[in-house]
């Protein structure tokens, strides 16, 4: 195995934007179907190509140059982070009996090489041998614009049976494993999953015939971690991990910890397909595997409410949000309404106004929103119901649509409004056809009104908005709040968003503090107190109070000046009255941290009693 010298992330000061992904709008691109920036890059087996765009299971020509060429378009759409389908070198052969090519990027041949199909120069494939690839230029341009890059990875499997064999894995061009001649036991050999209720089968057997890695093999683990660190060393900002439920929890705890040790600010999220807060195993992974998850439960609720027009309406959405306290950090779930494994939203409901409602909800509710490429251009195909592969059409339009305008406005608001980034979701009116909710954090606010029904007047109260007149950032419609009450006329299929952007904190060091597991009740307050001046020197009179995100989670920003660069000790405290003598402290020795000299940090803790 190659053992390159990999430099861990430089310990340079981080900014709040660099340590927290909740201000981002992610845009998920199937590279082959986005834009062909270099029609002359014809690397690979030509039998896998279809330049006529008729065979949906073959390559159509999109590439990294196409992504680079469209960064202006993406930035003007309100996108701040791009997630591309895996860039690793793929098998260059058709799947046996199915004539399918790996246009999706999940049949990896070599984790240390870039797929030559995405490059202008095939000689740039090796991340070891070439330090200035098209991929590096893409990263540099993204970072120059203040945008981020999400690398899609798969640790569970390599490739299925093709005309070249099954599961041949390379280390920068050198064969290290072969499923059909597995002398070093890099793979499991139990056949395909037959019982999807059997967890052992799900974690050890093949999924759809894909060669499944043996995570017990330390040589495999070292290979995959070394490979992903190589990509992180080039400047990757986040990892999206495929098929999380198909590997044991201990593997992810080890893997994600290693990634964070190598690059502390990397954001990691994964696909535990169809995860739901009612699923105890899904919740165990969500809370214990070290990464955040894609929020399938909220996705299905939004699709049912606004795509299928389910009779239960917005109650479906609020039901899922009402279970947020089951997560350690619900505000860091990655939210979406469609992806490459399900029919697009408009295959369920082609009327654009319903998509607009879904986009407003996605971009303003808790979590980190992820758009599927082309949704802002109403891109979809209904061939055979619009499922895979017909949910992956070629991007063809680049117009300034209403959906794109909504994304641009709300993307900018998310970046600037801490309530949208960090606040909980506080329902103010939940009906079948109307949903009104508030996001709040300190002096920032975002109130959202969604109406999927007929035009009507709403009488709202307990709005938690200061008295005054507000203007919807999407429509210009006015809202007048008096004593926490307001009367508002909403049109059919209308979405309204009213905001207040509070004043941001400024300090030598800003620390985002989040604690979960408290299960507080209404009226409780949670704070942090410690042995430095910024944390009150253990005096509860000077406690730093946090903001309630939900009954389980509290969040706050702590500004440090005097204690920068020093170690400190602290505890969390719950107060349910004005009598400080009744304060409930954690039943443990104080936690210890070291404050950075400058920049920012993120502390994540779990309450202990």
């Amino acid at each position: 195995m190659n053992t390159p010298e990999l430099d861990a992330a430089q310990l340079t000061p981080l900014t709040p934007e660099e340590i927290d992904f909740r201000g981002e709008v992610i845009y998920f691109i199937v590279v082959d179907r986005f834009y062909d920036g270099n029609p002359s890059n014809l690397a690979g087996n030509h039998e896998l190509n279809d330049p006529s765009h008729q065979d949906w299971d073959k390559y159509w020509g999109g590439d990294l140059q196409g992504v680079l060429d469209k960064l202006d378009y993406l930035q003007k759409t309100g996108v701040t982070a791009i997630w591309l389908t895996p860039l690793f070198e793929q098998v260059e052969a058709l799947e046996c009996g199915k004539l399918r090519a790996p246009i999706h990027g999940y049949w990896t041949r070599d984790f240390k090489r870039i797929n030559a199909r995405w490059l202008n120069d095939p000689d740039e494939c090796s991340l070891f041998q070439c330090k200035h690839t098209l991929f590096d230029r893409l990263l540099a341009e993204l970072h120059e614009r203040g945008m981020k890059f999400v690398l899609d990875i798969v640790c569970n499997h390599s490739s299925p049976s093709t005309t070249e064999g099954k599961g041949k894995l390379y280390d920068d061009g050198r064969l290290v494993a072969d499923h059909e001649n597995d002398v070093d036991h890099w793979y499991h050999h139990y056949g395909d999953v037959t019982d999807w209720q059997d967890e052992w089968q799900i974690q050890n057997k093949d999924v759809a015939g894909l060669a499944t890695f043996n995570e017990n093999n330390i040589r495999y683990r070292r290979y995959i971690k070394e490979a992903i660190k190589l990509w992180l060393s080039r400047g990757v900002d986040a990892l999206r991990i495929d098929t999380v439920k198909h590997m044991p929890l201990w593997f992810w705890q080890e893997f994600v910890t290693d990634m964070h040790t190598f690059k502390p600010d990397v954001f990691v999220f994964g696909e535990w397909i169809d995860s739901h807060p009612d699923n105890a195993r899904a919740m165990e992974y969500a809370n214990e595997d070290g990464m955040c998850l894609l929020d399938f439960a909220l996705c299905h609720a939004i699709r049912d409410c606004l795509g299928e027009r389910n009779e239960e309406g917005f109650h479906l959405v609020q039901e899922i949000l009402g279970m947020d306290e089951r997560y350690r950090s619900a505000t860091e779930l990655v939210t979406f309404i469609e992806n490459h494994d399900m029919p697009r939203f408009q295959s369920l409901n082609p009327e654009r106004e319903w998509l607009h409602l879904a986009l407003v909800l996605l971009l303003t509710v808790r979590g980190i929103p992820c758009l599927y490429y082309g949704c802002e251009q109403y891109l979809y195909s209904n061939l055979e119901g619009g499922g895979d592969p017909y949910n992956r059409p070629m991007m063809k339009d680049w117009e300034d649509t209403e959906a794109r305008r909504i994304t641009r406005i709300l993307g900018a608001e998310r970046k600037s409004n801490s309530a949208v980034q960090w606040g909980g979701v506080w329902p103010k009116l939940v009906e079948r056809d109307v949903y009104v909710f508030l996001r709040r954090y300190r002096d920032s606010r975002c109130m959202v009104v969604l109406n999927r029904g007929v035009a009507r007047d709403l009488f709202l109260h307990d709005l938690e908005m200061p008295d005054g007149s507000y203007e919807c950032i999407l429509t210009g419609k006015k809202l007048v709040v008096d004593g926490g009450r307001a009367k508002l006329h909403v049109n059919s299929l209308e979405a309204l968003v009213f905001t207040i952007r509070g004043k941001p904190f400024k300090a030598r060091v800003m620390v985002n503090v989040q604690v979960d597991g408290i299960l507080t009740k209404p009226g409780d307050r949670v704070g942090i107190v410690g042995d430095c001046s910024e944390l009150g020197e253990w005096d509860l009179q000077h406690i730093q109070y946090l903001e309630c995100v939900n009954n389980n989670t509290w969040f706050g920003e702590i500004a440090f000046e005097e204690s920068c660069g020093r170690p400190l000790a602290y505890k969390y405290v719950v107060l349910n009255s004005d009598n400080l003598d009744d304060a409930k402290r954690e039943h443990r020795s104080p936690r210890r941290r070291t404050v950075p000299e400058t920049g920012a940090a993120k502390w994540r803790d779990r309450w202990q009693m």
Side-chain angles (χ1 to χ4, degrees):
M1 187 183 303
N2 287 312
T3 54
E5 293 184 6
L6 299 180
D7 293 329
Q10 296 295 315
L11 299 178
T12 53
L14 300 174
T15 67
E17 290 75 20
E18 288 172 325
I19 65 165
D20 205 310
F21 233 74
R22 285 175 285 192
E24 311 299 335
V25 174
I26 304 172
Y27 190 88
F28 175 32
I29 296 172
V30 177
V31 178
D32 180 64
R33 302 298 165 86
F34 189 61
Y35 185 64
D36 189 353
N38 182 6
S40 66
N41 59 346
L42 301 176
N45 181 356
H46 289 195
E47 189 182 9
L48 276 61
N49 300 338
D50 178 24
S52 69
H53 299 178
Q54 298 301 308
D55 189 334
W56 290 74
D57 285 318
K58 293 188 178 180
Y59 288 106
W60 286 1
D63 51 29
L64 286 181
Q65 186 63 54
V67 177
L68 187 59
D69 290 348
K70 292 299 181 180
L71 288 186
D72 274 345
Y73 167 84
L74 293 172
Q75 192 167 33
K76 292 175 182 176
T77 304
V79 172
T80 63
I82 62 168
W83 157 20
L84 305 185
T85 44
L87 302 182
F88 312 115
E89 183 177 85
Q90 301 288 293
V91 294
E92 279 294 325
L94 290 166
E95 185 180 11
C96 292
K98 298 182 181 179
L99 301 181
R100 295 190 305 179
I103 70 105
H104 44 67
Y106 296 105
W107 297 354
T108 303
R109 182 179 187 272
D110 195 325
F111 283 93
K112 297 179 182 177
R113 289 192 172 188
I114 304 173
N115 191 342
R117 291 177 173 276
W118 310 147
L119 300 171
N120 296 335
D121 182 354
D123 291 337
E124 294 184 353
C125 289
S126 173
L127 289 175
F128 291 141
Q129 299 169 28
C130 187
K131 298 298 183 184
H132 303 287
T133 67
L134 179 60
F135 171 67
D136 294 301
R137 294 195 290 277
L138 173 62
L139 285 182
E141 180 63 25
L142 284 167
H143 293 158
E144 181 69 23
R145 295 167 178 262
M147 300 172 72
K148 296 178 180 177
F149 181 82
V150 180
L151 179 72
D152 198 336
I153 69 174
V154 53
C155 300
N156 177 65
H157 59 261
S158 58
S159 57
S161 293
T162 70
T163 52
E164 292 183 353
K166 177 177 179 177
K168 288 185 176 180
L169 183 70
Y170 293 79
D171 183 343
D172 194 29
R174 182 175 64 88
L175 182 67
V176 292
D178 183 348
H179 186 274
E180 296 178 341
N181 185 28
D182 191 11
V183 295
D184 293 322
H185 309 294
W186 282 54
Y187 289 102
H188 292 305
H189 296 272
Y190 301 111
D192 282 351
V193 175
T194 57
D195 182 357
W196 290 94
Q197 304 306 312
D198 186 327
E199 185 174 1
W200 184 89
Q201 287 198 30
I202 289 172
Q203 293 185 359
N204 291 277
K205 287 193 170 188
D206 293 353
V207 178
L210 294 162
T212 301
F213 289 121
N214 173 17
E215 67 280 347
N216 299 299
N217 186 329
I218 187 60
R219 294 176 65 183
Y220 160 69
R221 299 209 305 277
R222 287 171 179 163
Y223 167 86
I224 194 66
K225 288 189 285 188
E226 178 186 274
I228 303 309
K229 288 176 185 178
L230 181 60
W231 290 82
L232 289 177
S233 71
R234 305 302 268 264
V236 166
D237 303 289
L239 301 175
R240 180 270 184 184
I241 303 179
D242 190 58
T243 53
V244 168
K245 71 187 296 182
H246 294 284
M247 299 188 79
L249 185 60
W250 68 260
F251 171 82
W252 294 122
Q253 291 169 335
E254 177 183 313
F255 178 86
V256 176
T257 297
D258 275 15
M259 296 305 108
H260 279 137
T261 299
F262 182 77
K263 187 170 185 175
D265 57 312
V266 66
F267 177 65
V268 185
F269 65 100
E271 176 214 43
W272 205 99
I273 196 162
D274 292 331
S275 59
H276 193 284
D278 273 340
N279 185 320
R281 191 61 170 152
M283 289 302 94
E284 184 179 19
Y285 272 68
N287 294 329
E288 304 295 344
D289 64 8
M291 70 180 90
C292 301
L293 294 183
L294 285 152
D295 193 349
F296 279 89
L298 184 60
C299 169
H300 291 312
I302 295 174
R303 287 167 68 89
D304 285 348
C305 173
L306 298 174
E308 302 282 4
R309 309 187 204 191
N310 188 293
E311 280 298 308
E312 294 185 54
F314 287 111
H315 292 291
L316 296 170
V317 175
Q318 182 54 40
E319 180 183 10
I320 297 300
L321 296 173
M323 291 187 276
D324 277 357
E325 64 186 29
R326 301 184 186 183
Y327 294 96
R328 287 202 65 181
S329 186
T331 55
E332 291 182 291
L333 295 169
V334 175
T335 56
F336 60 106
I337 58 172
E338 56 186 3
N339 68 16
H340 57 324
D341 289 326
M342 61 179 66
R344 286 179 176 257
F345 183 91
Q346 286 189 276
S347 291
L348 306 178
N349 185 344
E351 296 180 32
R352 294 182 175 183
E353 292 80 5
W354 290 78
L355 174 63
H356 298 160
L357 288 176
L359 286 174
V360 173
L361 178 54
L362 177 69
L363 290 160
T364 56
V365 79
R366 64 97 179 108
I368 303 165
C370 179
L371 307 172
Y372 189 35
Y373 81 100
C375 71
E376 78 284 0
Q377 296 295 336
Y378 312 110
L379 178 69
Y380 73 102
S381 169
N382 272 335
L383 286 173
E384 298 188 21
D388 175 11
Y390 306 107
N391 53 7
R392 306 167 187 178
M394 196 73 189
M395 185 82 166
K396 56 185 178 180
D397 296 316
W398 314 91
E399 306 299 324
D400 196 14
T401 65
E402 175 63 13
R404 189 179 180 213
R405 186 185 76 91
I406 289 170
T407 301
R408 179 170 56 248
I409 292 172
L410 296 182
E413 189 63 32
R414 171 170 288 274
K415 202 70 176 175
S416 303
N417 192 322
S418 57
V420 186
Q421 295 176 28
W422 299 323
V425 179
W426 305 100
K428 297 301 174 182
L429 179 64
V430 185
E431 297 180 354
R432 183 189 69 177
D433 291 334
V434 175
Y435 190 33
V436 181
F437 63 88
L438 180 75
R439 307 290 308 282
R440 66 171 191 247
Y441 176 74
R442 296 192 185 274
D443 54 349
S444 296
R445 297 288 187 273
C446 177
M447 192 180 85
V448 181
V449 181
L450 302 169
N451 180 22
R452 72 168 204 172
V454 299
R456 56 178 286 194
D457 289 329
L458 301 179
F459 297 90
L460 305 172
H461 56 88
D462 299 325
L463 290 183
E464 300 181 81
M465 299 274 283
D467 288 354
S469 179
Y470 302 91
E471 183 177 289
C472 172
I473 61 177
L474 295 176
T475 68
K477 181 175 285 189
K478 294 290 194 290
L479 170 75
V480 177
V481 177
D482 184 6
R485 298 174 177 270
K487 176 183 177 182
L488 182 66
H489 181 80
V490 288
N491 297 321
S492 177
L493 301 180
E494 185 172 44
L496 304 171
V497 180
F498 304 96
T499 64
I500 303 172
R501 295 183 186 178
K503 295 180 180 179
F505 280 153
K506 291 184 178 180
R508 183 177 165 189
V509 171
M510 292 299 307
V511 176
N512 287 1
V513 173
Q514 186 165 296
V515 60
D516 71 276
I518 303 180
L519 293 179
T520 51
K521 59 184 182 297
D524 285 349
R525 292 176 295 165
V526 174
I528 181 173
V529 64
D531 65 356
C532 62
S533 59
E534 292 89 347
L535 298 182
E537 296 180 333
W538 297 118
D539 184 353
L540 294 186
Q541 295 283 356
H542 302 287
I543 192 171
Q544 288 271 9
Y545 285 106
L546 306 180
E547 293 280 321
C548 182
V549 177
N550 55 55
N551 290 340
N552 172 66
T553 306
W554 293 71
F555 176 88
E557 299 166 280
I558 309 296
F560 286 93
E561 294 286 352
E562 295 180 10
S563 304
C564 297
R566 292 167 44 191
L568 56 81
Y570 65 94
K571 276 189 176 186
Y572 295 100
V573 180
V574 176
L575 299 102
N576 51 28
S577 72
D578 292 331
N579 185 357
L580 298 181
D581 293 339
D582 294 333
K584 181 172 67 174
R585 295 169 172 83
E586 289 186 281
H587 187 58
R588 54 156 294 161
S589 59
R591 305 169 188 274
R592 300 200 66 83
R593 301 266 191 176
T594 298
V595 181
E597 288 281 358
T598 59
K602 180 168 66 174
W603 298 349
R604 293 289 181 269
D605 295 315
R606 181 172 294 183
W607 172 266
Q608 292 186 21
M609 279 299 294

